Amino acid sequence: MTHAVIRTPGEGRTVAGVGDVYRFLATGEETNGKYALWEAIVPPGGGPPPHVHSQEEEGFYILEGEIMFTINGERVVATAGTFANMPVGTPHSFKNESTKPAKMLISVAPAGLEQMFFEVGVLLPDGSTSALPPTKEEIEKLLAIAPRYGIEIRLPKH
């Protein structure tokens, strides 16, 4: 049984995920597993390494700033008002290559991936808009846990 969920500005479980700030607006527990939605604040230089989802579609809607997506090796600049959807199995990454923080909404369907962020991320107080840069330990924890959520992280070969 679900009920209506209202999150006011600043409300919602907020975690630092490898340097980015994620504020969860709807989780699978609240949507019968159909989708999850969160706000992401990506600082300059922030964003995940190239990766592939095996279980969920992932959508991005840019609210503020600029995000550089790399999708199947092609670079695309996304500014406020841009939407991008990554079907299951699409290699992608995103990075804030600008000098100002970017803000976007990220959705996944079905839900479940948010649990990875709860497991890997560092809980922040409600209303937080910045996080410390990721530590080596945080990155290693993400690399270890991501496969359990069907995420293949594709680190550059050295």
Side-chain angles (χ1 to χ4, degrees):
M1 169 109 174
T2 59
H3 57 280
V5 174
I6 304 292
R7 300 261 190 270
T8 59
E11 278 188 334
R13 188 171 180 180
T14 304
V15 299
V18 206
D20 299 342
V21 175
Y22 299 121
R23 180 171 68 100
F24 290 84
L25 304 172
T27 65
E29 292 171 348
E30 298 159 334
T31 66
N32 284 324
K34 289 181 174 53
Y35 74 95
L37 178 71
W38 58 93
E39 175 188 81
I41 299 173
V42 184
H51 61 281
V52 178
H53 298 253
S54 66
Q55 300 172 2
E56 59 276 310
E57 300 266 325
E58 186 174 32
F60 301 89
Y61 182 74
I62 312 303
L63 298 168
E64 298 172 11
E66 184 175 292
I67 293 288
M68 175 65 72
F69 285 97
T70 302
I71 306 162
N72 278 322
E74 183 179 331
R75 290 165 56 89
V76 178
V77 178
T79 56
T82 302
F83 175 76
N85 185 69
M86 305 302 156
V88 171
T90 304
H92 66 282
S93 64
F94 63 84
K95 186 170 185 174
N96 181 349
E97 295 183 351
S98 78
T99 57
K100 297 179 181 157
K103 187 185 284 190
M104 62 183 167
L105 293 176
I106 300 176
S107 65
V108 293
L113 186 62
E114 71 277 15
Q115 297 301 322
M116 180 184 80
F117 292 101
F118 298 155
E119 194 173 337
V120 172
V122 177
L123 192 61
L124 297 173
D126 278 4
S128 294
T129 58
S130 63
L132 295 172
T135 64
K136 188 172 187 286
E137 291 75 24
E138 283 179 282
I139 293 167
E140 287 172 355
K141 187 176 181 183
L142 175 64
L143 292 173
I145 290 172
R148 293 206 324 254
Y149 290 90
I151 305 293
E152 176 195 343
I153 297 179
R154 298 183 171 178
L155 293 178
K157 307 283 187 259
H158 293 288

